[in-house]
Amino acid sequence: MTSEFDAISRLFKKRTPYIHPLTQVGNGDDASVHQVPKDKELVISTDAAVSGVHWPEDMPLDIAGHRAVCAALSDLAAMGAKATWVWIAVMAKDSPSLVKMSTGIVQACHNHQIELAGGDTVSSATNAITVTVAGLVPKSTAMTRGNACPDDEIWLLGNLGLSAMGLEQWFAGKHEGDFVSSFQRITPQLEAGEQLRELGVRCCMDVSDGLLQDANHIAKASNVSLNFVIEKLQSAPSFKKLAHINKDKALKLTLSGGEDYALLFTAPASLHQSLKKLGALNIGDCSEGNSARLFLQGSEIEYNVKGYDHFD
Ligand code: ADP
Ligand code: MG
């Protein structure tokens, strides 16, 4: 194979010609330089994806590349930002791995019209991809985890548990089907995130580690309780799909399955009708307190479902 610099040019730069109008110095220098309009703020996030940790070692690497970029973009959706730039460090075991990962990465940049503004390409004992994303929001409007109010309703936009079921199926040797593609093909809800922000939603996150575990982050950051109603969660199309395959597991996967990248958010009741029109599902209410709680037929139930923890 050719040298590192030829590879960077051929695999990444030449295949991502799009340059955002706010870019002053694009890919190819020591760093990229970007303008930020006066009325906007910059939103930045970084995400690592490692073979054998974030994707099964036997999964095609172009899918892994695409997935890594989309998972990172989901954080911008959660903040309500318009995605503009990505910087990607690719750690590759060998040349064929690099080529495969680059194909998925480039595809994701095209699909979401994002500029690949820089990155790094290195050899490594393990295939891995680190994606930094940046976007813009109008000043002081970014949706955060700390903005929930005790009177808010809780909403969900997207699926829960499908990706976890897909991963389980992959490990059981089933390498195709709807669930497997839910795991492999993440859709960052970038447009929906912006729509929520424009409607006036100010508290949102994307569910990557499981609903209850992630909801606890909002509860702690906002100092409110999030009270989920199981009957409402059971009306989600993703719950029905799971129940169709495995009735016993549907609730557990809904509560703890990560990586569907649904948007979980809270909003005042005045937004109820507009949010329903957007296709969001009301799944509970907030109250005074600081934890995620679960209710069935009006009574609180104890739960013992854990989301994902890298060091547990
Ligand atoms: P430096 O040594 O200054 O860190 P590199 O030699 O690593 O720069 O990279 C040269 C140029 O190619 C830089 O502009 C860098 O941003 C870009 N680049 C390297 N790898 C990637 C990649 N995987 N994706 C996009 N751009 C990359
Ligand atoms: Mg340099």
Side-chain angles (χ1 to χ4, degrees), residues 17-303:
Y18 172 67
I19 297 180
H20 193 276
L22 291 171
T23 297
Q24 300 285 96
V25 179
N27 194 334
D29 219 301
D30 285 313
S32 59
V33 181
H34 309 273
Q35 290 181 324
V36 179
K38 265 206 175 88
D39 57 337
K40 298 270 166 61
E41 285 168 341
L42 194 58
V43 180
I44 303 176
S45 168
T46 203
D47 258 331
V50 179
S51 172
V53 179
H54 295 89
W55 76 80
E57 275 167 12
D58 57 349
M59 197 174 91
L61 289 172
D62 52 338
I63 293 175
H66 187 273
R67 194 175 178 282
V69 177
C70 292
L73 288 173
S74 174
D75 284 324
L76 292 181
M79 303 297 288
K82 174 143 202 79
T84 41
W85 301 288
V86 293
W87 298 261
I88 303 183
V90 184
M91 289 137 272
K93 265 169 98 162
D94 48 35
S95 296
S97 302
L98 177 63
V99 171
K100 274 268 187 183
M101 287 191 278
S102 75
T103 298
I105 287 168
V106 165
Q107 242 176 30
C109 293
H110 279 302
N111 292 348
H112 298 286
Q113 272 275 319
I114 317 263
E115 177 184 344
L116 180 59
D120 205 5
T121 306
V122 299
S123 61
S124 160
T126 306
N127 287 318
I129 303 164
T130 294
V131 183
T132 301
V133 292
L136 297 167
V137 284
K139 273 198 168 155
S140 306
T141 64
M143 303 188 292
T144 67
R145 299 175 179 192
N147 280 340
C149 298
D151 294 335
D152 280 357
E153 295 175 324
I154 312 174
W155 293 86
L156 181 77
L157 202 54
N159 299 314
L160 294 173
L162 301 187
S163 177
M165 175 67 103
L167 190 56
E168 211 177 290
Q169 290 188 343
W170 181 278
F171 284 126
K174 182 168 163 41
H175 286 185
E176 55 185 26
D178 280 2
F179 293 106
V180 169
S181 66
S182 291
F183 172 74
Q184 295 186 331
R185 287 278 158 192
I186 300 165
T187 309
Q189 301 197 64
L190 288 161
E191 274 175 28
E194 285 195 81
Q195 282 173 335
L196 295 179
R197 169 180 51 72
E198 280 163 10
L199 272 177
V201 173
R202 288 294 170 268
C203 174
C204 181
M205 72 182 296
D206 63 330
V207 181
S208 54
D209 293 333
L211 178 71
L212 293 178
Q213 180 164 315
D214 282 342
N216 261 304
H217 296 313
I218 292 181
K220 300 288 181 266
S222 298
N223 207 25
V224 300
S225 273
L226 277 76
N227 308 314
F228 294 98
V229 176
I230 288 182
E231 290 88 340
K232 291 184 176 185
L233 287 168
Q234 284 171 332
S235 71
S238 57
F239 180 91
K240 291 180 182 159
K241 220 169 154 180
L242 289 167
H244 193 66
I245 300 289
N246 190 331
K247 228 173 170 178
D248 298 335
K249 264 199 196 151
L251 186 60
K252 181 175 178 280
L253 291 175
T254 296
L255 298 174
S256 67
E259 309 216 304
D260 292 282
Y261 298 95
L263 297 180
L264 169 67
F265 56 99
T266 78
S270 56
L271 294 183
H272 191 99
Q273 288 310 325
S274 317
L275 292 171
K276 262 180 99 167
K277 262 196 212 138
L278 262 188
L281 181 69
N282 172 225
I283 53 173
D285 293 286
C286 297
S287 67
E288 301 284 347
N290 61 5
S291 59
R293 302 166 66 184
L294 202 52
F295 290 82
L296 180 65
Q297 294 175 345
S299 302
E300 183 164 9
I301 59 167
E302 292 292 316
Y303 60 84

